[in-house]
Each structure stands twice: as C-alpha cells, then as structure tokens.
Amino acid sequence: MKTTKTLFAAMATALLLISCNSDDNAPTTGTGSLNIEFDNVYQSNNLILNTQPNTTSQNEVLKIGQLKYIVSNIKLTKADGSIFTYPKSQSYFIVDETDEASTTLQLQNIPSGDYVSVSFGIGVDQQQWELGADGQGNFLALAQSEDMLWSWSAGYKFLAFEGTFTSPTVASETAFMVHTGKTGTDYNYTTITLPLTNSALVRTDITPQIHIFADASKIIDGQNKIVLSDNNSGGMGAMIMGGENLALITANLSQMFTVNHVHNE
C-alpha cells in the first residue's frame, strides 16, 4: 500500500510539473515587447569599419567607412498565420553601424503569441513619402540629422554604404559611395521576409530578441555583381546613386539579411 501511495504521489507531482511547464509555454492574453537586433557583418566576419580589408568576388578590396539603412513597416506573423502590423507611425528606424544603440529596435505593445516570421522594408515606402514633408512626423528631422535625406524633393537615402577600395586596375585607395533611394521613376524600396529559427514567444513577462545578420558583402556582391572599378570616373571615385545599378543593388538586399537565432528571455 505504501508503494502504491508513493507511486500516485509521484504521478501527481509529474502531472503538476507538466501542467506548469505547459502553462509557461502557452500563449497568454495581453501584450509584451520584442527586440530586433541588426548585427552587421561582412561574409562570415564581424564588420569593422575603416581598417578591415574585405575582398569581393571581383577581386576588389573594400574598407568600409559607413553603413546605414532605414528599416520600416515591420510585420510579425504568428504560428496560426495571423499577422501583426507594427503601427506605421512608429515603424521607421535608422540602423547605423557607428551607433550601437541604433542596431537594436525595441518594439512595444506586441500582442502575446508565438511568432514565426518577421518582415520589414529597407527604405521609406512610396505611400509614406507621398504624404509630404508635413506627414513624416519626427522621422524627417531624424533622417536629416543622420544625413539620410538627399533633399525633400529628391527623397530619402534608403541605404548609405561608403568607404574606399582598390582593385587590379585601381592601385591607390579610392573612395566609393553607394546610396539607394528614389531615382526618377524607380522607387527602389524593397521588403524582406525572414522565417525565424525558432518561435519568438512574446509574453507579458518574456521579451524575445530576434538576432539578424546583415551581410554588407551582398550589397554589391550578391546575386548581382557591381564592379566599383567600372563606376570610377571623373576623379570623384566610384559614386553609385542612380542608374540601372540601383535596381540591381536593391535586388541584392533580399540576400543581405538572415535570422541567426532568437532568444526568449
């Protein structure tokens, strides 16, 4: 009889533990927070500005001095397929490699749930820009202060990628500058959708962190190969701010971002 009672007690304890664990993992009501960290790298290496030599597949060696990009229109998809759209008025950020605080986006008031993918834009969408200067809220002043605006009529810089390079035909370090954004009739805005490595469990007491690698090598050395030497003219260095290359670079951005891992803490 004692053995039977002990067995029942053990089973009850086990069921209680399973129930508690199940409750801990179950989606709850309410809202929580979620962080998205953009970790800029070059291929398999951490990105180091100004001094790190980075070799492209075209045998050009880059020293990157600046990497900035606008992240916008964040959406999160739950395991059940439902989508939470972060409020548009709060959904514009500038990620700047020289400002560590800017590389982690802190999102608030996210409905509790298990999220399995994230999407975001690179740049400012045309609908937002068409609201005019008065319709940009505080973001216009931020973009101006961060030098991510050519002018109001010309529009935002979606991505700023700058530094120096050498190549088999360019022996001395020469400046390069790649800026994407609206050019003529081409808007060059792109949306990235990334599956998560594991679910981001947003709870009132759990703030997940989605760790995204942003591979700077893909900007000019992704599915489309942009040779800086071919754009080096007029004694100004390689300046790519318009023309057919911008559409090719925009297409490359779809390969630039990958989810490395998700922390649920």
Side-chain angles (χ1 to χ4, degrees), residues 148-216:
M148 292 297 283
L149 188 78
W150 282 312
S151 67
W152 177 246
S153 59
Y156 292 98
K157 301 175 189 177
F158 297 169
L159 175 143
F161 180 55
E162 302 176 7
T164 62
F165 78 100
T166 58
S167 75
T169 59
V170 180
S172 60
E173 289 194 350
T174 300
F176 75 86
M177 187 178 292
V178 176
H179 292 170
T180 70
K182 180 179 73 72
T183 57
T185 58
D186 296 324
Y187 203 76
N188 296 311
Y189 177 84
T190 191
T191 299
I192 314 294
T193 299
L194 301 175
L196 304 185
T197 54
N198 52 287
S199 296
L201 309 179
V202 176
R203 306 287 189 269
T204 57
D205 58 348
I206 298 176
T207 300
Q209 179 143 319
I210 301 172
H211 190 134
I212 294 175
F213 277 172
D215 183 358

Side-chain angles (χ1 to χ4, degrees), residues 23-245:
D23 289 342
D24 286 345
N25 292 327
T28 61
T29 57
T31 61
S33 301
L34 181 144
N35 297 332
I36 304 176
E37 179 186 1
F38 287 87
D39 187 353
N40 296 318
V41 299
Y42 193 96
Q43 296 175 352
S44 60
N45 299 313
N46 185 38
L47 180 62
I48 300 173
L49 297 182
N50 299 312
T51 59
Q52 175 179 282
N54 305 287
T55 304
T56 73
S57 64
Q58 308 304 300
N59 204 26
E60 296 186 321
V61 180
L62 317 182
K63 289 184 179 178
I64 299 165
Q66 182 182 85
L67 177 60
K68 289 186 185 182
Y69 43 90
I70 296 173
V71 174
S72 62
N73 296 314
I74 297 169
K75 296 181 180 181
L76 299 162
T77 301
K78 286 185 178 181
D80 64 6
S82 60
I83 297 173
F84 171 70
T85 300
Y86 201 65
K88 190 174 177 65
S89 61
Q90 303 170 38
S91 202
Y92 295 89
F93 306 87
I94 297 175
V95 175
D96 178 358
E97 176 61 15
T98 66
D99 179 5
E100 185 176 356
S102 75
T103 62
T104 299
L105 314 186
Q106 298 178 336
L107 310 183
Q108 310 294 325
N109 299 315
I110 309 295
S112 294
D114 298 358
Y115 292 90
V116 297
S117 72
V118 60
S119 70
F120 51 88
I122 297 298
V124 174
D125 54 290
Q126 189 167 2
Q127 180 187 40
Q128 178 69 16
W129 184 73
E130 288 177 347
L131 293 176
D134 292 338
Q136 305 305 303
N138 296 329
F139 187 72
L140 180 61
L142 175 63
Q144 288 175 318
S145 68
E146 292 287 337
D147 194 25
M148 292 297 283
L149 188 78
W150 282 312
S151 67
W152 177 246
S153 59
Y156 292 98
K157 301 175 189 177
F158 297 169
L159 175 143
F161 180 55
E162 302 176 7
T164 62
F165 78 100
T166 58
S167 75
T169 59
V170 180
S172 60
E173 289 194 350
T174 300
F176 75 86
M177 187 178 292
V178 176
H179 292 170
T180 70
K182 180 179 73 72
T183 57
T185 58
D186 296 324
Y187 203 76
N188 296 311
Y189 177 84
T190 191
T191 299
I192 314 294
T193 299
L194 301 175
L196 304 185
T197 54
N198 52 287
S199 296
L201 309 179
V202 176
R203 306 287 189 269
T204 57
D205 58 348
I206 298 176
T207 300
Q209 179 143 319
I210 301 172
H211 190 134
I212 294 175
F213 277 172
D215 183 358
S217 74
K218 300 299 186 184
I219 297 171
I220 62 170
D221 200 20
Q223 60 186 350
N224 299 305
K225 309 298 181 184
I226 311 299
V227 182
L228 294 175
S229 303
D230 293 345
N231 293 273
N232 183 30
S233 62
M236 298 292 292
M239 304 295 161
I240 303 175
M241 302 181 194
E244 62 182 16
N245 276 336

